[in-house]
Amino acid sequence: MQRFQRTYLVVIAALIGVPSFAQNTSTSTDDLPSAPSAVSQPKPALTKPPALQQPAADSHNQPSADQPSSDQSATPQSSSPAPQQASNSDVSNAAESDDKPATSGDSTFATTVNEVPVVFTVTDKHNHYVRDLGKADFKVIDDGQPVPDIRSFRRETDLPLRVGLLIDSSASVRSRFKFEQEAAIEFMNQTIRPRYDQAFVLGFDSSLEITQEFTDNSELLSKGIRSLRPGNSTRLYDALYYACRERLLNSETASVRRAIVLITDGEDNSSRTTREEAIDMALRANVIVYTISTNFPGYSESGKYDKVLERIADATGGRWFQPFQVTDVANAFAQIQADLRSQYALAYRPAEFRHDGRYRTIEIVAEHKGLKVHSRHGYYAPAE
């Protein structure tokens, strides 16, 4: 009997001591999932992408733009239904900055979830900016319905800027690449104010490369621009999509002006993202896109590609520039700088507003004849 009890206790102890195992199931994600669909369906909420890991450093002792980096690129995958967070290795980082975007409590332009903010500029028939208009000088039409009340209105001439400079470094722009770099450097020197504005530099050909992260340091921005070298094929739409989602989407809670300056010939021959998907992401990130064509007049394909650049700028409330000669590129940059300092901002509550993720159109009309309003043409309602 005692032998039976000892045997029974040994069996129980053995059973208790058996380890349990749980299957660890994990799914891999691609570097940059597909862009949102343009169809009118509810969209899942977008999350803020992770920031690049950067070493702690003094803002006046930044790493050089020539330091080595990985050469992984951001490639959207069409199999995913909605954007997700991308890994920190989506683009090469030839230079990093630990500068953080500055915020200004005095410039906050607050809106509620049911209000739509819109930024726009107004020009007269001579293409001169009109900067002294008031709320009563405009009416807003949302999704075909007049807006009964503009809830807030202000002139926005001095908001902090968050600018992305996207430069086509593919072989097709090789002949005028050096001058475009110098014009871009001059633009950054004149536009980005220390401790107030921030900018980053992204070059694109067959890959996407961040050569300078967000900074207010003009010397670092110049190094980032000069470090770009002409390459091979062109991923224009991937570059625009990536810059909007990973660098400008929900980047700050305080009111800032988000803009992209895109220098390219408009040809795209290797993106996984479509033109309309890139535009959609710019709208979601509330980014104004200014496009500067590098095509020379008379080039047989320039008309087709310039229409692409005009479409991108027009849809996001920006401007399209077609310099007739290479020296006119500097004039285009000067016009963009003036545009960014001559804006209005209003917010309104649409009639019959629903949180359905649907795309809704916007039309802002100036009450005075001869005035032209430049703004984005629509937005996505939030999805619950």
Side-chain angles (χ1 to χ4, degrees), residues 32-345:
L32 186 60
S34 64
S37 172
V39 298
S40 298
Q41 295 180 355
K43 305 282 191 292
L46 297 173
T47 56
K48 180 179 179 180
L52 289 175
Q53 296 295 324
Q54 300 177 0
D58 184 82
S59 60
H60 299 288
N61 186 23
Q62 301 289 346
S64 167
D66 298 324
Q67 67 189 81
S69 65
S70 62
D71 191 27
Q72 297 180 3
S73 60
T75 304
Q77 303 295 330
S78 59
S79 58
S80 300
Q84 301 173 3
Q85 292 184 353
S87 66
N88 290 342
S89 60
D90 278 332
V91 293
S92 308
N93 286 273
E96 294 181 348
S97 165
D98 66 343
D99 291 345
K100 302 300 181 183
T103 60
S104 173
D106 296 335
S107 62
T108 301
F109 186 58
T111 60
T112 68
V113 71
N114 288 330
E115 290 184 2
V116 179
V118 187
V119 175
F120 60 98
T121 57
V122 182
T123 54
D124 61 19
K125 59 183 179 181
H126 302 294
N127 204 34
H128 296 151
Y129 291 103
V130 180
R131 301 182 175 93
D132 58 352
L133 300 175
K135 181 170 70 171
D137 296 314
F138 301 96
K139 63 179 180 181
V140 181
I141 300 174
D142 182 284
D143 221 29
Q145 299 296 321
V147 173
D149 180 38
I150 298 176
R151 301 181 66 85
S152 57
F153 180 93
R154 62 195 293 176
R155 300 179 186 90
E156 297 286 17
T157 61
D158 202 36
L159 274 183
L161 299 178
R162 300 296 175 260
V163 178
L165 179 64
L166 276 55
I167 301 181
D168 186 344
S169 56
S170 63
S172 61
V173 300
R174 190 181 302 270
S175 62
R176 51 256 194 227
F177 189 70
K178 181 67 174 177
F179 183 85
E180 290 160 8
Q181 285 178 303
E182 295 306 315
I185 289 171
E186 184 65 20
F187 167 76
M188 289 297 190
N189 289 339
Q190 294 182 2
T191 305
I192 303 303
R193 298 163 295 182
R195 298 179 300 278
Y196 198 64
D197 304 319
Q198 298 265 324
F200 68 91
V201 180
L202 186 153
F204 61 94
D205 46 27
S206 57
S207 63
L208 313 182
E209 182 182 19
I210 295 282
T211 58
Q212 178 55 54
E213 270 292 1
F214 269 121
T215 184
D216 63 352
N217 188 315
S218 60
E219 292 185 6
L220 291 177
L221 291 169
S222 297
K223 288 181 180 179
I225 295 170
R226 289 197 174 100
S227 68
L228 295 171
R229 297 291 182 270
N232 299 310
S233 58
T234 312
R235 295 173 60 191
L236 165 60
Y237 306 143
D238 283 355
L240 179 57
Y241 180 89
Y242 177 88
C244 290
R245 198 189 75 174
E246 300 298 316
R247 292 300 181 273
L248 293 166
L249 178 66
N250 298 331
S251 59
E252 298 179 52
T253 56
S255 186
V256 297
R257 184 67 65 245
R258 300 178 180 89
I260 280 178
V261 179
L262 178 60
I263 310 173
T264 179
D265 60 5
E267 180 180 4
D268 188 303
N269 51 30
S270 57
S271 283
R272 296 290 299 275
T273 307
T274 68
R275 180 191 67 186
E276 295 306 307
E277 287 171 335
I279 290 173
D280 285 352
M281 183 52 65
L283 292 175
R284 292 179 184 277
N286 199 19
V287 172
I288 301 171
V289 183
Y290 297 93
T291 58
I292 300 177
S293 172
T294 61
N295 294 313
F296 289 125
Y299 173 55
S300 59
E301 297 291 324
S302 63
K304 175 176 67 175
Y305 296 132
D306 282 343
K307 287 181 178 179
V308 170
L309 299 181
E310 187 176 10
R311 162 64 182 158
I312 293 172
D314 187 59
T316 60
R319 304 277 197 104
W320 163 65
F321 298 92
Q322 185 189 30
F324 287 98
Q325 52 188 344
V326 70
T327 54
D328 289 336
V329 175
N331 296 332
F333 276 115
Q335 185 75 22
I336 293 171
Q337 182 186 18
D339 203 80
L340 291 171
R341 306 296 185 196
S342 307
Q343 296 174 328
Y344 296 92

